[in-house]
Amino acid sequence: MSNNSRVQLNVRVTKETSDKLDEIVEYYQQNTKLGRVYKGDVLTDIIDKSFEIMEKQKLRNY
């Protein structure tokens, strides 16, 4: 993340969604060499990748 400022997001999700996030975090922890993996880092990665996909799709549609 190039900009070190952070915003706290307080969201409510279902227990099922929370469990899925926990599983994804565990997967990242086991399959990366970054040390400790945090939920915020995983969410940032997912959002960044989703944003890139969205931008590519938008370019193809124009």
Side-chain angles (χ1 to χ4, degrees), residues 3-41:
N3 185 351
N4 288 331
S5 64
R6 295 196 176 258
V7 175
Q8 182 169 335
L9 300 176
N10 296 312
V11 298
R12 292 190 183 274
V13 297
T14 64
K15 173 74 167 109
E16 181 181 356
T17 300
S18 178
D19 292 344
K20 288 177 182 177
L21 178 58
D22 289 341
E23 190 171 334
I24 293 168
V25 170
E26 184 177 326
Y27 177 83
Y28 271 63
Q29 185 69 51
Q30 292 173 355
N31 292 287
T32 62
K33 304 294 182 200
L34 301 175
R36 180 78 174 113
V37 177
Y38 297 96
K39 287 182 182 181
D41 297 328

Side-chain angles (χ1 to χ4, degrees), residues 45-61:
D45 190 50
I46 291 169
I47 292 167
D48 288 346
K49 288 177 180 175
S50 296
F51 187 82
E52 288 176 20
I53 292 168
M54 179 190 72
E55 290 295 309
K56 287 177 185 176
Q57 289 176 345
K58 284 169 48 177
L59 287 174
R60 274 190 264 146
N61 292 333

